[in-house]
Amino acid sequence: MDQQASILKGKYPAKAHCAKVASYLQTKSANATGKAVIYLEGQKTILIEDNDEPRPFRQRRSFFYLSGCSLPDCHLVYEFSSSTLTLFIPDLDPDSVIWSGLPLMPAEALRIYDIDNCLPNSGLAAHMSSLAQKDSDIRFYLKDIPRDALLSIAETTVSTDAKLLHPAIDECRVTKDAYEVALIRQANTISTAAHTAVLRAIPTACNEQDLEAVFTASCISHGAKHQAYPGIFGSGENAATLHYQHNNQPLSSRANILVDAGAEWDCYCSDVTRTMPLRGTFDPATRAIYTLVLRMQTAALSQLKAGVTWETLHLRAHEIAVQGLLDLGILRHGTVEQLMRERISVAFFPHGLGHHLGMDTHDTGGNPDYGDRDSLFRFLRIRGPVVEGAVVTVEPGVYFCRFILEPFLRDGVKGRFIDEGVLEGFWGVGGVRIEDDVLVTKDGYENLTTAPKGIEEMERIIAGESLDGEARG
């Protein structure tokens, strides 16, 4: 058994996460003593409006972080003094069993989850009241639960804090433990298989939705029934829209497709982007831009390690972009330094270099400043030094979006730096983005993404060749 499989064979480390959050709270509040308690409610079952069917269920990420439980209508209580984690699950409803079968029972929950006790929801009020009656100084830390709601549960007067728990959990989620990294790695392994399946399906695909179907089917066949986010399958100029969602256009007249899609595994995400040739090989324009974006990513990764500022990496990617666009003749009449001062590269690379990744695709942390007046940094989802143990995406791109570029072309100052005649030959590229998920280490990084991204490698797969060590069948 390999190391990843060995890690995932164990339980999700819910109690370690509870202890991490409790320790963080104790650094922020004098009231977070041994008498404190964390109470969280999981996501409730919510019916579709005017319908008796439930909405697709998605567990509250804060609840999963402290419980490892992805069932609806649950609650948890964590006691600081004894480090005791109690999970409350729905009571057995005989009528429901007729339709849905037996639900998870407490004995099974104790076997599956990293918890100390499992009780039915009908026992929650008595449990909360018992805790409150043990000590009049007890303090409950809550998230998004009004104090009156807690009082109705506990039927007693308690001291509550509804402000600190949310930011505490968000902060603790930034750095990942070995189990979380293994989950993200597993999601990436499944996404690699799906991206490879898309490459193999290109010769027979007729529409963007054909390739989306291949990706989704591959993920499900490997046990990942949920996508981390709505996939982006943008061909030709559609790839210039960063979060393109239609995924329904014919491929016949397009040269390439941008595929930004990732599987979710046990509530943890992968986020992988590749740009693929639709005619078997890249045309010269797309090959030039793809090579440039790959250089941008390589340059950013070469400087990535704990403590480096995200702005430094982002700036380096832009400098590589400017030099590359100068070499291609798309930019002109200026040095890299001058064009950087004019923020010309923002017209071609308008988004940030990446973001934190975890239970959410755009995970907690990062401290973005969307009010920044500097267009180069406004959309950065991470600001300041990156920390050891964080998982981040590194996803530079170069795009030819008419909506963004045309105002630059009309600008009397900025327009002179762009050769409109040369640019004409690149509109069809649409956009190229390359995105990997990486674990930040003390001295560098570990790339968790193994999806093919070399030009020759992708072209070989499209041609039907087997990769080294790949089993076909």
Side-chain angles (χ1 to χ4, degrees):
M1 181 184 298
D2 62 25
Q3 184 179 12
Q4 177 172 316
S6 178
I7 291 172
L8 295 180
K9 191 176 181 181
K11 294 181 179 181
Y12 181 86
K15 288 192 65 178
H17 291 172
C18 287
K20 185 178 182 181
V21 172
S23 178
Y24 182 88
L25 285 169
Q26 288 170 338
T27 68
K28 297 297 180 180
S29 173
N31 293 315
T33 65
K35 300 176 181 179
V37 170
I38 291 173
Y39 165 72
L40 266 180
E41 181 181 29
Q43 179 61 54
K44 297 178 180 179
T45 299
I46 302 175
L47 296 181
I48 299 171
E49 187 175 0
D50 300 326
N51 194 288
D52 65 354
E53 292 290 333
R55 295 180 186 175
F57 177 74
R58 187 178 191 271
Q59 184 61 280
R60 299 178 74 190
R61 272 16 191 179
S62 56
F63 187 87
F64 188 88
Y65 186 70
L66 297 184
S67 70
C69 175
S70 57
L71 298 176
D73 305 311
C74 295
H75 306 257
L76 69 82
V77 175
Y78 179 75
E79 302 167 51
F80 285 30
S81 60
S82 59
S83 301
T84 299
L85 177 58
T86 301
L87 177 68
F88 292 85
I89 61 176
D91 292 67
L92 177 65
D93 179 2
D95 289 342
S96 178
V97 173
I98 297 173
W99 303 100
S100 305
L102 284 170
L104 183 74
M105 303 301 287
E108 182 70 1
L110 284 167
R111 186 186 68 81
I112 295 173
Y113 303 125
D114 182 27
I115 57 177
D116 298 295
N117 305 301
C118 183
L119 301 172
N121 284 340
S122 58
L124 177 61
H127 185 80
M128 297 287 272
S129 295
S130 174
L131 289 175
Q133 290 167 8
K134 282 181 182 178
D135 196 318
S136 59
D137 294 330
I138 194 169
R139 188 173 186 84
F140 286 91
Y141 286 89
L142 323 167
K143 181 177 182 290
D144 304 331
I145 302 293
R147 183 172 184 273
D148 289 345
L150 180 62
L151 292 177
S152 69
I153 294 173
E155 297 181 351
T156 186
T157 301
V158 294
S159 173
T160 63
D161 187 316
K163 295 181 179 179
L164 285 181
L165 185 57
H166 188 167
I169 294 174
D170 283 357
E171 185 63 29
C172 290
R173 283 173 54 185
V174 171
T175 54
K176 273 60 178 182
D177 54 41
Y179 199 99
E180 292 179 287
V181 173
L183 289 171
I184 296 171
R185 194 192 306 275
Q186 178 66 13
N188 266 276
T189 297
I190 294 170
S191 293
T192 291
H195 276 274
T196 304
V198 169
L199 285 165
R200 296 205 183 283
I202 281 176
T204 57
C206 298
N207 192 289
E208 294 166 346
Q209 63 197 13
D210 297 339
L211 297 178
E212 181 180 20
V214 168
F215 189 95
T216 305
S218 177
C219 291
I220 293 174
S221 72
H222 286 88
K225 293 188 176 182
H226 301 290
Q227 295 293 292
Y229 52 93
I232 298 165
F233 294 77
S235 60
E237 292 194 26
N238 295 334
T241 300
L242 300 183
H243 286 172
Y244 173 76
Q245 292 291 292
H246 296 297
N247 300 349
N248 62 2
Q249 295 302 299
L251 304 175
S252 57
S253 62
R254 279 77 183 264
N256 50 272
I257 185 167
L258 186 153
V259 177
D260 184 341
E264 177 185 297
W265 184 259
D266 204 7
C267 291
Y268 278 77
C269 301
S270 59
D271 187 359
V272 181
T273 306
R274 296 293 185 258
T275 306
M276 307 170 181
L278 288 172
R279 298 169 185 165
T281 59
F282 281 117
D283 63 27
T286 306
R287 179 179 289 264
I289 299 302
Y290 190 96
T291 302
L292 171 57
V293 174
L294 194 57
R295 289 204 307 270
M296 292 163 65
Q297 189 193 49
T298 300
L301 287 171
S302 70
Q303 296 185 11
L304 177 59
K305 63 179 180 180
V308 69
T309 66
W310 196 249
E311 291 88 344
T312 298
L313 305 178
H314 182 72
L315 191 64
R316 182 58 181 151
H318 271 270
E319 291 170 346
I320 298 294
V322 169
Q323 184 62 65
L325 294 172
L326 278 169
D327 293 342
L328 291 171
I330 297 172
L331 296 182
R332 62 182 181 179
H333 300 327
T335 64
V336 171
E337 293 76 15
Q338 183 180 7
L339 292 169
M340 287 296 295
R341 286 196 301 271
E342 294 290 340
R343 299 304 194 235
I344 300 298
S345 57
V346 174
F348 299 90
F349 178 19
H351 59 79
L353 182 64
H355 50 81
H356 285 286
L357 183 75
M359 285 188 285
D360 290 312
T361 307
H362 297 154
D363 210 34
T364 58
N367 304 308
D369 179 12
Y370 298 130
D372 195 328
R373 294 186 178 183
D374 189 332
S375 60
L376 189 68
F377 301 112
R378 181 179 304 145
F379 295 121
L380 265 65
R381 297 183 187 273
I382 303 175
R383 302 301 295 262
V386 293
V387 297
E388 182 179 1
V391 175
V392 299
T393 66
V394 179
E395 50 177 306
V398 170
Y399 310 87
F400 300 91
C401 177
R402 295 180 187 274
F403 182 81
I404 297 175
L405 277 167
E406 286 176 352
F408 276 77
L409 294 172
R410 293 193 298 267
D411 186 289
V413 175
K414 298 183 185 299
R416 68 187 183 91
F417 294 114
I418 303 174
D419 189 318
E420 196 165 354
V422 176
L423 178 63
E424 189 64 30
F426 288 86
W427 290 118
V429 174
V432 171
R433 182 164 64 252
I434 303 172
E435 177 180 21
D436 291 343
D437 308 334
V438 301
L439 171 66
V440 180
T441 64
K442 178 182 178 182
D443 299 314
Y445 67 94
E446 179 185 354
N447 197 330
L448 306 178
T449 302
T450 56
K453 65 179 176 181
I455 290 176
E456 291 75 17
E457 182 183 20
M458 290 193 295
E459 291 177 348
R460 283 174 51 209
I461 295 171
I462 294 171
E465 297 182 29
S466 295
L467 301 179
D468 293 341
E470 181 188 20
R472 298 295 305 278

